[in-house]
Amino acid sequence: MLTERPEWKALQAHRAAMDNVHMRSLFADPKRFDRFHIEFGGLLLDYSRNRTTDETIKLLLDLAHACKIENWRDRMFAGDRINNSEDRAVLHTALRRPAGDIVMVDGENVMPFIHDTLRKMQSFSKAVRTGMWTGHTGQKIKTVVNIGIGGSDLGPLMVCEALAHLPERMDVRFVSNVDGAHLNLTLRGLDPETTLFIIASKTFTTQETMANAVTARAWLINAMQDTKAVAKHFVALSTNEKAVAEFGVAAENMFPFRDWVGGRYSLWSAIGLSICLAYGFETFRALLSGGHEMDRHFQEEPLERNMPVIMALLGLWYRNFWDAQSYAVLPYAQELHRLPAFLQQLDMESNGKSVDRDGKPLSYPTGPVVFGEPGTNSQHSFMQLIHQGTNFVPCDFIGTLEAPIPVGEHHKLLLANMAAQAQALMQGRTAAEAGGDTRRAFSGNRPSNILLLDRLDARHLGMLIALFEHKVFVQGILWNINSFDQWGVELGKTLAGKILRDIDDGARQDIDSSTKYLIKRFKKPS
Amino acid sequence: MLTERPEWKALQAHRAAMDNVHMRSLFADPKRFDRFHIEFGGLLLDYSRNRTTDETIKLLLDLAHACKIENWRDRMFAGDRINNSEDRAVLHTALRRPAGDIVMVDGENVMPFIHDTLRKMQSFSKAVRTGMWTGHTGQKIKTVVNIGIGGSDLGPLMVCEALAHLPERMDVRFVSNVDGAHLNLTLRGLDPETTLFIIASKTFTTQETMANAVTARAWLINAMQDTKAVAKHFVALSTNEKAVAEFGVAAENMFPFRDWVGGRYSLWSAIGLSICLAYGFETFRALLSGGHEMDRHFQEEPLERNMPVIMALLGLWYRNFWDAQSYAVLPYAQELHRLPAFLQQLDMESNGKSVDRDGKPLSYPTGPVVFGEPGTNSQHSFMQLIHQGTNFVPCDFIGTLEAPIPVGEHHKLLLANMAAQAQALMQGRTAAEAGGDTRRAFSGNRPSNILLLDRLDARHLGMLIALFEHKVFVQGILWNINSFDQWGVELGKTLAGKILRDIDDGARQDIDSSTKYLIKRFKKPS
């Protein structure tokens, strides 16, 4: 058990010793930055602003070794069935590997399958973007609407937003919510003859996605007055061939992936088709290659110079030893505005667990709440609480050295603000420094990391995403949980099915008084 | 001191008694819903799914009385200078009052000023929407770009998004981030001749807003080759007449407000001009009247039937007695997708404080971290952690009985899912009910409120926003903090100024090694 390990107890003792150590005093060491940063491939992790000494890092690394991080990592990359509750391999990393590699699953090398699918994505996206692919009435496609939810939405959406500065962007939109307003507002002004739908659902049974897909299909058929139009305006990203065919998508327009790709890790698979359509296949390839670079870093670097490992350990340090129930992601790049939402799913769905890998209840906290908004906006919103509130909220700042779109002095202002926030959180301001006004005093000693990308391109973005994936993976291993299942979504689905029937048929007698009342109200809107 | 009050100690004792009480058993009472809901004006608060008994509510109300909530409330409405650290009245509620009312500030009845400004907003928005107002070259305005940040952005943006289903919407866009990409991407495809900018800044010195305003002005002048064009394409929302005139905005195109309107409460003031332009003045008036209805409810209802008071007390119950460091806002309405970001500012900037009203350090936790995304999307993302994680995260679900845009069965699916999530969080599923599989078990006993609006129109939205404003106010009173200042934004600003100079002039020697390094890198991007 984690908390009984000697390495854990050593951290507990060390935590007590760190209680009154202020980062200001740690920065008395002029070499602190030198010792606490990692840089490779155009990505810098500056983790100097943490409540950590050399001893802290050493003790955390001891824990990582005791938890056999390297062994688990190698098992993941090798295709072992580490998702034990679903008896599946976890191989999103294979999607980022070069064609010549070999990755065996159940006696099959899956790399040819992966690269066949990539070639299919390449030729399809090229055909659509050049106008070789036409709609039912012979017109070029102008708009792509991706219908998916969760991992079939957040990943591609976040990437498409992040690269909005790239030239030759095709109009790609995303519909996820079952709320009819989402699809309706997205389709306004679109011409069915020039609109292509991507239906993204691993199982092709996801309630929201199928409801939206059926409504979108009706919109198309209603305009075209021909059901055959579906084959030219709908493609599917799925593992379920039968359901895809029944929906009306031609077999050659289904882009497959396998059960060893979890939803929240699926943007690298066929689920990334919308990215290929938005920016062209070469951009998607660069994203994959960035992810693969981070994979190799994670596999090859010793733990003490391993970016995802260090970030994971710092997160655990605050979650388990400083009671930080939440942490903030603060991209200083407007185009990364959906990164926090993406990381919410990645992190909270992976590590929001209360039982260990064997289903035994845990006695220690696991994954934190993740939230964030772009800087500098967050400075005019919730940063007040992070600076002066009573919660302990570690932060990850993310910036890019180059401006994606250089505009006057704007980028300099942006970066100066990011550095200043991190500095303010670290050093604070004593009441004496604030002229005796305690309201204008800051405790400081509030930790943050800075991730600095040379630029916001597909390759660096791929590195960044894979970095967080591996960070979350390492934390899952430390906590001894399965980061790759999500049983917590099940109960709500089951109960929603029952409530749906009740809205039609009248509420059961044996349910709670509130739900009973709601069902009655839903039946007959006021 | 709050924690020494007998009412606090009574709650502590009661908390211990509630430790093993499961909401399932509380719902054995078939009248539970009847006793724990409040409904008025087309808005229902269902607070039956909380870890509360009649006794809990009684004890919380005792605390509210002891903290003199009603007295503080009345002082706020009367214009007392309850924002003591800035020596200001707090009168966003006056903005929502009918013209005949009297509200005195420093011997002046401010109601005529408020309604003069409203009339000016009405005639200006009518002129722009009908085309009576034309740009420099005589063309009708087609697009409005609001440049502001924090309260000058989030409120109007959130409202404009929330009402996207309304007909006759004018194209209104929002630029906030100092990241040049934000303005640049927003202006793409726009014609300067048909574009109107609103510069929204209380002080007209906000760094980000002025940087964006200056860049926008250059874009316009560059296209028009005439600085006189500025007067026909820029209006200002501000308290600073001099700076507005210097920028080039004509005096008659400045829409004023006063220092008793805090940024995060300013959407009801001239800052709401973008809402008037987007949907017409009558929609803005309906928003104000909804806010005013909630004000009267808050003023007139006894505490035990007072929606914002009950919500505030439940929040305090979890924050202070159950160590809930965060809470989730989950609108089951896609158009409310920015409500969580708006509430982040409202709540975290107001109550993220560590000193009391007199500047003395507090010994108890104050405001929580607020986060959220629309349902059903959140179900496919972070709800896993809220159902099965180790954090205690109370939730506010928000739904609308009527679909803003009816589309087939979509709305029924949406509402069924919302009710099911709340039910699942409440009742959970025992391991026995899950067939002995602990991974598929849910502890349940996780609290949530449901807010149900008859429909998503401006009036109901106004009620909803004012509800949260007053909830945050009540919590601030309970915690004995000033919810209306934000000294925590100051230090970062000061340090950013220094770092900016350093980027130009070279880093000082007496700063920390990390900031020194960053300044060097920012100077010469790789």
Side-chain angles (χ1 to χ4, degrees):
Chain A
M1 169 95 137
L2 179 63
T3 52
E4 280 154 20
R5 288 184 189 279
E7 296 83 5
W8 189 274
K9 292 185 195 296
L11 279 162
Q12 277 178 320
H14 177 66
R15 160 69 179 82
M18 288 298 289
D19 209 33
N20 292 311
V21 177
H22 200 289
M23 276 191 266
R24 275 196 193 195
S25 66
L26 298 177
F27 269 101
D29 169 10
K31 298 279 182 204
R32 184 166 173 86
F33 170 78
D34 293 344
R35 288 211 317 289
F36 298 110
H37 79 269
I38 301 172
E39 186 159 18
F40 89 95
L43 179 58
L44 168 76
L45 167 65
D46 171 3
Y47 62 104
S48 60
R49 288 180 201 76
N50 280 289
R51 297 178 73 160
T52 50
T53 61
D54 293 314
E55 175 73 2
T56 321
I57 300 295
K58 181 202 161 296
L59 293 174
L60 287 166
L61 287 165
D62 288 348
L63 183 72
H65 285 292
C67 294
K68 301 195 169 40
I69 294 296
E70 288 156 300
N71 180 256
W72 281 101
R73 174 194 67 194
D74 294 345
R75 287 181 60 194
M76 175 172 73
F77 279 90
D80 275 14
R81 295 175 177 271
I82 61 168
N83 176 356
N84 63 320
S85 75
E86 298 182 306
D87 192 28
R88 289 177 185 164
V90 174
L91 277 175
H92 49 282
T93 55
L95 301 165
R96 311 190 278 240
R97 294 178 84 138
D101 283 12
I102 293 174
V103 179
M104 303 299 291
V105 180
D106 294 332
E108 177 204 357
N109 175 17
V110 297
M111 293 309 297
F113 165 77
I114 289 170
H115 282 265
D116 283 351
T117 306
L118 283 172
R119 271 187 295 275
K120 192 169 165 178
M121 292 164 76
Q122 178 172 23
S123 62
F124 179 76
S125 55
K126 188 174 168 192
V128 172
R129 286 172 59 89
T130 57
M132 274 160 48
W133 172 287
T134 56
H136 184 63
T137 59
Q139 291 206 52
K140 186 174 186 294
I141 298 299
K142 285 189 193 153
T143 306
V144 174
V145 179
N146 185 89
I147 296 180
I149 194 165
S152 300
D153 172 65
L154 280 168
L157 166 64
M158 179 272 287
V159 170
C160 285
E161 291 293 288
L163 301 175
H165 59 278
L166 293 186
E168 294 174 41
R169 179 180 171 158
M170 186 168 182
D171 180 15
V172 175
R173 306 178 183 193
F174 292 83
V175 173
S176 45
N177 203 325
V178 74
D179 182 349
H182 203 186
L183 181 65
N184 182 286
L185 291 168
T186 306
L187 295 186
R188 286 192 183 178
L190 295 190
D191 178 355
E193 296 186 46
T194 59
T195 302
L196 175 75
F197 292 93
I198 301 175
I199 312 302
S201 168
K202 193 166 166 176
T203 59
F204 229 67
T205 60
T206 313
Q207 187 187 50
E208 291 90 341
T209 302
M210 295 325 295
N212 279 318
V214 165
T215 300
R217 187 177 57 182
W219 176 81
L220 182 87
I221 293 175
N222 181 52
M224 304 279 194
Q225 294 294 319
D226 187 351
T227 55
K228 287 205 293 287
V230 174
K232 297 299 285 179
H233 292 268
F234 280 80
V235 302
L237 321 176
S238 182
T239 60
N240 185 346
E241 279 181 53
K242 192 159 163 283
V244 166
E246 279 168 12
F247 184 86
V249 172
E252 68 269 23
N253 298 329
M254 172 175 144
F255 297 79
F257 53 108
R258 297 278 175 86
D259 73 355
W260 37 258
V261 180
R264 52 195 175 274
Y265 303 89
S266 64
L267 71 89
W268 318 95
S269 73
I271 292 293
L273 185 65
S274 50
I275 303 168
C276 305
L277 287 161
Y279 299 109
F281 184 77
E282 289 313 312
T283 297
F284 188 63
R285 198 199 296 277
L287 188 80
L288 294 175
S289 89
H292 182 64
E293 278 182 73
M294 182 54 72
D295 292 340
R296 295 195 54 173
H297 170 89
F298 180 44
Q299 285 182 287
E300 293 166 11
E301 287 297 319
L303 301 193
E304 66 271 19
R305 291 202 302 273
N306 200 305
M307 246 187 229
V309 172
I310 294 292
M311 286 182 71
L313 290 169
L314 290 167
L316 173 129
W317 176 232
Y318 297 123
R319 182 71 197 88
N320 294 94
F321 295 90
W322 299 82
D323 190 32
Q325 293 181 12
S326 66
Y327 106 91
V329 182
L330 306 163
Y332 275 63
Q334 182 60 28
E335 292 168 285
L336 289 175
H337 69 111
R338 293 307 281 163
L339 182 68
F342 171 79
L343 294 179
Q344 270 181 336
Q345 181 189 14
L346 178 64
D347 200 327
M348 295 171 73
E349 199 170 47
S350 295
N351 289 343
K353 309 280 164 74
S354 299
V355 295
D356 73 10
R357 300 182 62 82
D358 303 315
K360 289 201 208 72
L362 297 170
S363 62
Y364 46 86
T366 56
V369 165
V370 181
F371 71 102
E373 288 285 332
T376 57
N377 288 23
S378 52
Q379 294 173 206
H380 295 263
S381 169
F382 57 78
M383 287 304 291
Q384 162 69 41
L385 181 142
I386 298 183
H387 283 290
Q388 287 193 320
T390 56
N391 293 299
F392 186 90
V393 186
C395 299
D396 282 347
F397 292 94
I398 301 169
T400 71
L401 275 176
E402 229 174 62
I405 305 174
V407 179
E409 301 274 275
H410 285 241
H411 202 65
K412 196 164 75 176
L413 285 168
L414 185 68
L415 290 178
N417 271 285
M418 180 179 79
Q421 289 295 312
Q423 194 186 22
L425 288 170
M426 179 276 281
Q427 72 184 35
R429 181 164 71 184
T430 64
E433 287 165 347
D437 185 348
T438 50
R439 281 181 287 238
R440 299 174 59 226
F442 295 68
S443 67
N445 218 9
R446 300 183 182 217
S448 64
N449 295 312
I450 292 181
L451 282 163
L452 201 54
L453 286 63
D454 276 355
R455 64 191 62 82
L456 187 55
D457 58 13
R459 181 183 149 262
H460 284 85
L461 185 61
M463 292 177 72
L464 186 71
I465 300 167
L467 168 62
F468 280 103
E469 286 178 352
H470 295 322
K471 172 202 161 185
V472 167
F473 168 79
V474 171
Q475 292 188 329
I477 299 303
L478 293 167
W479 286 322
N480 193 30
I481 58 183
N482 181 354
S483 299
F484 300 100
D485 59 15
Q486 55 281 318
W487 299 103
V489 307
E490 246 200 7
L491 180 58
K493 272 191 209 174
T494 307
L495 296 179
K498 291 185 184 176
I499 290 170
L500 263 181
R501 285 193 294 278
D502 289 350
I503 296 174
D504 290 332
D505 304 340
R508 290 152 287 159
Q509 286 311 305
D510 62 337
I511 53 170
D512 66 84
S513 55
S514 168
T515 307
K516 199 183 289 181
Y517 174 84
L518 292 173
I519 289 166
K520 204 171 68 187
R521 285 297 291 272
F522 295 169
K523 212 180 164 73
K524 193 164 58 175
S526 64
Chain B
M1 168 95 138
L2 179 63
T3 52
E4 280 153 22
R5 288 184 188 279
E7 295 83 4
W8 188 273
K9 291 185 195 295
L11 279 162
Q12 275 177 321
H14 177 65
R15 161 67 179 83
M18 288 298 289
D19 209 32
N20 292 310
V21 176
H22 200 288
M23 276 192 265
R24 273 197 195 196
S25 65
L26 298 176
F27 269 102
D29 170 10
K31 299 279 181 202
R32 184 166 173 87
F33 170 77
D34 293 344
R35 290 211 315 289
F36 297 112
H37 78 271
I38 300 171
E39 186 160 19
F40 89 96
L43 178 59
L44 168 76
L45 166 65
D46 171 3
Y47 63 102
S48 59
R49 287 181 203 76
N50 280 290
R51 298 178 74 160
T52 51
T53 61
D54 293 313
E55 176 72 4
T56 321
I57 301 297
K58 182 200 161 294
L59 294 174
L60 288 167
L61 287 165
D62 288 347
L63 183 72
H65 285 291
C67 293
K68 300 196 168 42
I69 295 297
E70 287 156 301
N71 181 256
W72 279 101
R73 174 195 66 194
D74 295 345
R75 289 181 60 194
M76 174 171 73
F77 278 91
D80 276 14
R81 295 176 177 270
I82 61 168
N83 176 356
N84 63 321
S85 74
E86 299 182 305
D87 192 28
R88 288 177 185 164
V90 174
L91 277 175
H92 49 282
T93 56
L95 301 166
R96 312 192 277 239
R97 294 177 85 138
D101 284 10
I102 294 173
V103 179
M104 303 298 292
V105 179
D106 293 331
E108 177 203 358
N109 175 16
V110 296
M111 292 310 298
F113 165 76
I114 289 170
H115 282 265
D116 284 350
T117 306
L118 282 173
R119 271 187 295 275
K120 191 168 167 179
M121 291 164 76
Q122 179 173 22
S123 62
F124 179 75
S125 56
K126 189 175 167 190
V128 172
R129 285 171 60 89
T130 58
M132 275 160 47
W133 173 286
T134 55
H136 184 62
T137 58
Q139 291 207 52
K140 185 175 186 296
I141 298 300
K142 285 189 193 153
T143 305
V144 174
V145 179
N146 185 89
I147 296 179
I149 195 165
S152 301
D153 171 64
L154 279 170
L157 166 63
M158 180 273 287
V159 170
C160 285
E161 289 294 286
L163 301 175
H165 59 278
L166 294 186
E168 295 173 41
R169 178 179 172 157
M170 186 168 181
D171 181 15
V172 175
R173 307 179 183 192
F174 292 83
V175 173
S176 45
N177 204 326
V178 74
D179 182 349
H182 202 187
L183 181 65
N184 181 286
L185 291 168
T186 305
L187 294 186
R188 285 193 183 177
L190 295 189
D191 178 357
E193 297 187 45
T194 59
T195 301
L196 175 75
F197 292 94
I198 300 175
I199 311 302
S201 168
K202 193 166 165 174
T203 58
F204 229 68
T205 60
T206 314
Q207 187 186 52
E208 292 91 337
T209 301
M210 296 325 294
N212 278 317
V214 166
T215 301
R217 187 176 59 182
W219 176 81
L220 182 88
I221 294 174
N222 182 52
M224 304 277 195
Q225 295 295 318
D226 187 352
T227 56
K228 285 205 295 288
V230 174
K232 298 297 285 178
H233 292 269
F234 280 80
V235 301
L237 320 177
S238 183
T239 59
N240 185 345
E241 279 180 54
K242 188 157 166 284
V244 166
E246 281 169 10
F247 184 85
V249 171
E252 67 270 25
N253 298 329
M254 172 175 143
F255 297 79
F257 53 108
R258 297 278 176 87
D259 73 355
W260 35 259
V261 179
R264 52 195 175 275
Y265 304 89
S266 64
L267 71 90
W268 318 94
S269 74
I271 292 293
L273 185 65
S274 51
I275 303 169
C276 306
L277 288 162
Y279 299 109
F281 184 77
E282 289 313 312
T283 297
F284 188 63
R285 198 199 295 278
L287 188 80
L288 294 175
S289 88
H292 182 62
E293 278 182 72
M294 182 55 72
D295 291 341
R296 295 196 52 174
H297 169 90
F298 179 45
Q299 287 182 285
E300 293 167 10
E301 287 297 319
L303 300 194
E304 66 271 18
R305 291 200 302 272
N306 201 307
M307 245 186 231
V309 172
I310 293 292
M311 285 182 70
L313 290 170
L314 290 168
L316 172 129
W317 176 233
Y318 298 123
R319 182 71 198 87
N320 294 94
F321 295 90
W322 298 81
D323 190 31
Q325 294 181 11
S326 66
Y327 105 92
V329 182
L330 306 163
Y332 274 63
Q334 182 60 30
E335 290 168 285
L336 290 175
H337 69 111
R338 293 308 281 165
L339 181 66
F342 170 79
L343 294 179
Q344 270 180 338
Q345 182 189 13
L346 177 64
D347 200 326
M348 296 170 73
E349 198 169 49
S350 296
N351 290 342
K353 311 280 164 72
S354 299
V355 296
D356 72 11
R357 300 181 64 81
D358 304 314
K360 290 202 207 71
L362 297 171
S363 62
Y364 46 86
T366 56
V369 165
V370 181
F371 71 104
E373 288 286 332
T376 57
N377 289 23
S378 52
Q379 296 173 205
H380 295 263
S381 168
F382 57 77
M383 287 304 291
Q384 162 70 38
L385 180 143
I386 298 184
H387 283 290
Q388 288 194 320
T390 55
N391 292 302
F392 186 88
V393 185
C395 300
D396 282 347
F397 292 95
I398 300 169
T400 70
L401 275 175
E402 229 174 63
I405 305 174
V407 180
E409 301 274 273
H410 285 241
H411 202 64
K412 196 163 76 176
L413 286 167
L414 184 67
L415 290 178
N417 271 286
M418 180 180 78
Q421 289 295 312
Q423 193 185 24
L425 288 169
M426 181 275 280
Q427 70 184 36
R429 182 163 70 183
T430 65
E433 287 166 345
D437 185 348
T438 51
R439 281 180 288 235
R440 299 175 57 226
F442 295 69
S443 67
N445 219 10
R446 300 183 181 216
S448 64
N449 295 312
I450 292 182
L451 283 163
L452 201 55
L453 286 64
D454 276 357
R455 63 191 63 81
L456 187 55
D457 58 15
R459 181 183 149 264
H460 285 84
L461 185 61
M463 292 177 72
L464 186 71
I465 299 167
L467 168 62
F468 279 103
E469 286 179 352
H470 295 322
K471 173 201 159 185
V472 167
F473 167 78
V474 171
Q475 292 187 330
I477 299 303
L478 293 167
W479 286 322
N480 192 31
I481 57 183
N482 180 355
S483 299
F484 300 100
D485 59 13
Q486 56 281 318
W487 300 104
V489 307
E490 246 200 6
L491 180 57
K493 272 190 210 174
T494 307
L495 296 179
K498 292 185 184 176
I499 291 171
L500 263 180
R501 285 193 293 278
D502 288 350
I503 296 175
D504 291 332
D505 305 339
R508 290 151 286 158
Q509 284 312 305
D510 62 338
I511 52 170
D512 66 84
S513 55
S514 168
T515 307
K516 198 182 288 178
Y517 175 83
L518 291 173
I519 289 165
K520 203 172 69 188
R521 284 297 291 271
F522 295 169
K523 215 180 163 74
K524 192 164 62 177
S526 64

